[in-house]
């Protein structure tokens, strides 16, 4: 039986690189992504020279600047990052891989199903991924996602002499055999657990308790871990022992994007008009095929450079332009600076029209009939005032007794 | 106007209030007032033969209750009401 192997594709500092564009030379200087406009004032990804000053991602801007006064702040570009990362994922998917990716810069796929089309073994799959991505990506392969990520972190474009990855089939690639995963992880620091968002706080606690390596975590009894740390503890234990949850590959997106260049730096009512137009355009797109919209993303490019993006999930999928506009409108107020262009992208479609709820809901009619019968029975037993309801008459009145009255509850409530 | 077959919510009820020389409540029933949180006047229907003028007080009593009372400035008398 062929064992499961997960491949991790890693681009360190992807968001910073994408935001730098053709100013990549800045990576050799202390640089960091500036805080996103209107969000918490913490720095994003940082360059290696900035790390040498003790600046790390998520550090408050003031502290980062005091640790490294020469720090260059790069305006974040969430739109650019998303677009570039989608290109990477598209290339990977073109090799036949089903790709999981929760954040830009790291993607995972299972190699098993691809052996047949790429030379019959893992090395063929890795070579195909390398051809698709070019030399900049780090590749790691291991029996689980966490170990594959750790392997990719150790991969270097230039292999170090005498490195543990001496058996790597390709440059910039580290492969961990099925039975070696636990041994490979054992000497690595517990800080590696931070790569999982749900375990952000755990490494610090481990370190305070004197537990410094994943091997020491793996040796702890599961009952004690469950009692002391709950679910995160058990997850950390599984990861340290070379086990992980299954991949959840993304569904290939159907890109439906509309963008409008604004003639001059727009805000307020002009933006609302632009949004109205974008909603109409998106609803008119043929790719919609009669489906309602479930998830939408509003994005903007600022006059002063940089981009902004926010997502909105509708409670009910809808194709009603007024309803969509009402849901998206308040987000425009969050725009932190004048925009030179506004975009609207469909992130998820709802069900097709024939899957929507029926206009005549029999269950509701049955419920109303039962409620009416219950009211009649209560009146029969306890008198005419047994079932009353509060009716707002003049809720804003300054005279309290004019605001509401108690009215008889109707025998057959209105639908 | 009250719709037929219905009754008002929050109708005022007569209350026994002791007031000081400035007309500010000092006790409601047998319970002393601890704090006057707010005070306001409501005037309405002044254009009719039955005008409404009330001086409201939101009070905290020494037993911890928060009550709203008003003095009817037309007919006199104190009332307690859920405001």
């Amino acid at each position: 039986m062929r064992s499961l192997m997960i491949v991790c594709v890693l681009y360190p500092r992807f968001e910073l690189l994408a935001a730098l564009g053709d100013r990549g030379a800045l990576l050799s200087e202390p640089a960091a992504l500036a805080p996103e406009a209107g969000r918490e004032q913490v720095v994003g990804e940082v360059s290696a020279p900035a790390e040498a000053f003790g600046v790390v991602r998520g550090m408050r801007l003031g502290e980062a600047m005091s640790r490294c006064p020469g720090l260059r702040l790069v305006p974040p570009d969430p739109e650019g990052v998303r677009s570039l990362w989608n290109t990477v994922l598209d290339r990977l998917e073109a090799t036949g891989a089903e790709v999981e990716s929760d954040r830009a810069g790291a993607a995972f796929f299972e190699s098993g199903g691809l052996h047949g089309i790429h030379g019959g073994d893992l090395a063929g799959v890795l070579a195909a991924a390398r051809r698709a991505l070019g030399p900049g990506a780090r590749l790691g392969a291991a029996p689980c996602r966490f170990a594959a990520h750790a392997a990719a972190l150790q991969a270097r474009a230039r292999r170090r002499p005498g490195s543990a990855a001496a058996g790597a089939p390709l440059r910039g690639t580290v492969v961990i055999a099925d039975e070696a995963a636990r041994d490979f992880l054992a000497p690595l620091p517990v800080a590696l657990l931070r790569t999982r968002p749900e375990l952000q706080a755990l490494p610090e606690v481990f370190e305070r308790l004197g537990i410094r390596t994943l091997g020491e975590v793996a040796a702890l009894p599961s009952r004690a871990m469950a009692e002391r740390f709950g679910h995160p503890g058990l997850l950390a234990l599984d990861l340290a022992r070379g086990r992980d949850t299954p991949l959840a590959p993304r569904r290939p997106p159907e890109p439906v994007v509309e963008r409008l260049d604004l003639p001059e730096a727009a805000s307020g009512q002009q933006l609302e008009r632009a949004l109205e137009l974008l909603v109409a355009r998106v609803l008119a797109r043929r790719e919609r095929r009669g489906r309602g919209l479930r998830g939408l993303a509003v994005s903007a490019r600022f006059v002063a450079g940089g981009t902004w993006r926010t997502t909105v999930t509708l409670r009910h999928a809808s194709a009603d332009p007024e309803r969509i506009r009402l849901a998206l409108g308040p987000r425009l107020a969050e725009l932190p600076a004048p925009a030179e262009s506004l975009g609207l992208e469909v992130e998820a479609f709802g069900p097709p029209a024939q899957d929507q709820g029926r206009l005549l809901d029999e269950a509701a009619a049955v419920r109303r009939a039962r409620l009416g019968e219950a009211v009649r029975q209560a009146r029969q037993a306890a008198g005419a005032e047994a079932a009353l309801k509060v009716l707002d008459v003049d809720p804003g009145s300054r005279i309290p007794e004019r605001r509401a009255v108690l009215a008889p509850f109707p025998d057959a409530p209105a639908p | 106007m009250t719709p037929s077959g219905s009754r008002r919510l929050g109708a005022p009820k007569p209350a026994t209030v002791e007031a000081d020389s400035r007309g500010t409540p000092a006790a409601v029933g047998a319970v002393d007032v601890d704090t006057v949180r707010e005070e306001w006047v409501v005037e309405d229907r002044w254009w009719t033969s039955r005008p409404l003028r009330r001086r409201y007080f939101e009070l905290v009593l020494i037993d911890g209750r928060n009550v709203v009372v008003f003095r009817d400035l037309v007919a006199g008398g104190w009332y307690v009401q859920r405001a």
Side-chain angles (χ1 to χ4, degrees):
Chain A
M1 196 180 98
R2 184 182 289 152
S3 59
L4 178 84
M5 284 300 265
I6 306 291
V7 179
C8 172
V9 175
L10 193 65
Y11 285 90
R13 304 184 174 90
F14 186 86
E15 291 177 22
L16 181 58
L17 268 170
L20 283 171
D22 53 5
R23 295 172 296 159
L26 275 179
L27 269 186
S28 56
E29 299 173 23
L33 277 179
E36 282 193 44
R39 305 257 162 88
E40 200 181 0
Q41 292 299 292
V42 296
V43 295
E45 285 183 345
V46 301
S47 66
E51 272 180 354
F53 280 92
V55 180
V56 294
R57 181 185 189 144
M59 182 176 274
R60 312 267 332 158
L61 184 60
E63 186 181 351
M65 293 306 290
S66 63
R67 285 190 183 205
C68 178
L71 188 68
R72 299 280 293 267
L73 290 174
V74 182
D77 184 6
E79 269 294 284
V81 169
R82 184 182 158 79
S83 163
L84 201 58
W85 185 237
N86 274 337
T87 309
V88 172
L89 297 183
D90 289 346
R91 283 185 191 166
L92 267 181
E93 282 170 347
T95 68
E98 283 191 310
V99 183
E100 175 196 274
S101 179
D102 290 338
R103 64 177 180 87
F108 303 87
F109 62 92
E110 195 191 324
S111 72
L114 303 175
H115 288 185
I117 52 175
H118 294 301
D121 59 6
L122 176 65
V125 175
L126 290 171
R130 175 66 68 200
R131 277 196 301 277
L133 300 173
R138 297 185 188 182
L139 301 179
C144 70
R145 182 202 287 111
F146 182 66
H149 189 255
L153 281 172
Q154 294 206 345
R156 293 281 187 277
R158 286 181 210 153
R159 199 188 307 154
R160 287 166 296 176
S163 101
L170 294 159
R171 244 171 23 172
T173 306
V174 171
V175 178
I176 308 301
D178 192 4
E179 63 281 2
R182 187 166 170 168
D183 292 341
F184 164 71
L185 291 170
L188 301 179
V190 290
L192 208 57
L193 293 168
R194 286 204 182 93
T195 55
R196 296 293 281 261
E198 59 268 53
L199 302 182
Q200 285 294 312
L202 215 48
E204 192 186 334
V205 181
F206 282 149
E207 281 164 6
R208 269 193 272 141
L209 293 171
I211 302 166
R212 304 200 178 280
T213 65
L214 293 173
E216 289 169 12
V217 174
L220 295 169
S222 58
R223 191 179 298 168
M225 286 292 273
E227 279 182 14
R228 180 67 183 83
F229 302 108
H231 178 71
L234 289 175
L235 176 61
L237 193 64
D238 273 350
L239 297 181
R241 289 176 177 175
R243 294 191 296 260
D244 202 345
T245 50
L247 295 188
R250 73 167 188 165
R251 294 173 64 181
E254 304 171 84
V256 175
V257 190
E258 287 290 341
R259 182 162 287 282
L260 196 63
D261 287 331
L262 304 168
E264 53 195 43
S267 56
Q269 209 169 28
Q270 293 164 301
L271 277 179
E272 285 175 22
R273 291 274 168 260
L275 180 66
E276 205 174 317
L277 188 58
L278 287 172
V279 170
R281 281 189 187 176
V282 163
L283 288 173
R285 289 283 290 263
R286 187 179 291 176
E287 297 93 321
R288 190 166 73 81
R289 297 195 299 277
R291 293 173 292 179
L293 310 182
R294 166 72 74 184
L296 291 151
V298 185
S299 59
R301 187 167 291 282
F302 299 128
V303 176
T307 58
W308 171 88
R309 182 183 174 89
T310 183
T311 56
V312 176
T313 303
L314 304 180
R315 195 188 292 173
H316 298 291
S318 174
D320 177 359
E322 183 62 19
R323 201 165 155 192
I324 295 170
R325 203 177 53 74
L326 278 174
L328 300 180
R331 298 301 177 100
L332 290 181
E334 297 171 10
L335 257 176
E340 65 176 14
S341 75
L342 194 68
L344 183 64
E345 179 176 357
V346 180
E347 291 215 319
F349 285 104
Q354 59 265 32
D355 286 354
Q356 290 178 1
R358 282 178 294 174
L359 194 59
L360 299 171
D361 191 342
E362 289 175 11
V366 170
R367 184 173 173 275
R368 278 198 300 279
R370 284 184 182 163
L371 197 54
E373 178 60 23
V375 169
R376 280 192 291 276
Q377 287 184 15
R379 289 212 171 105
Q380 186 68 33
E385 288 198 345
L388 300 169
K389 67 173 182 179
V390 176
L391 186 68
D392 281 336
V393 180
D394 184 6
S397 173
R398 295 179 305 146
I399 318 295
E401 67 263 37
R402 289 188 196 161
R403 291 175 195 157
V405 296
L406 274 176
F409 197 93
D411 286 358
Chain B
M1 193 181 84
T2 310
S4 61
S6 58
R7 66 167 190 264
R8 291 192 185 284
L9 272 177
K13 294 174 186 165
T16 308
V17 176
E18 285 178 35
D20 61 19
S21 56
R22 290 177 301 171
T24 306
V28 177
V31 186
D32 286 348
V33 171
D34 181 75
T35 314
V36 177
R37 291 189 67 192
E38 211 169 335
E39 178 183 351
W40 67 100
V41 172
V42 172
E43 291 197 50
D44 201 3
R45 294 199 302 243
W46 47 266
W47 59 93
T48 71
S49 58
R50 289 169 50 206
L52 183 147
R53 290 186 68 219
R54 295 173 178 175
R55 187 177 175 196
Y56 276 91
F57 297 89
E58 184 180 352
L59 311 169
V60 178
L61 307 185
I62 57 166
D63 61 4
R65 278 184 298 146
N66 194 344
V67 297
V68 174
V69 298
F70 68 82
R71 170 87 177 157
D72 189 332
L73 300 177
V74 178
W78 285 93
Y79 296 85
V80 64
Q81 185 171 35
R82 195 179 62 186

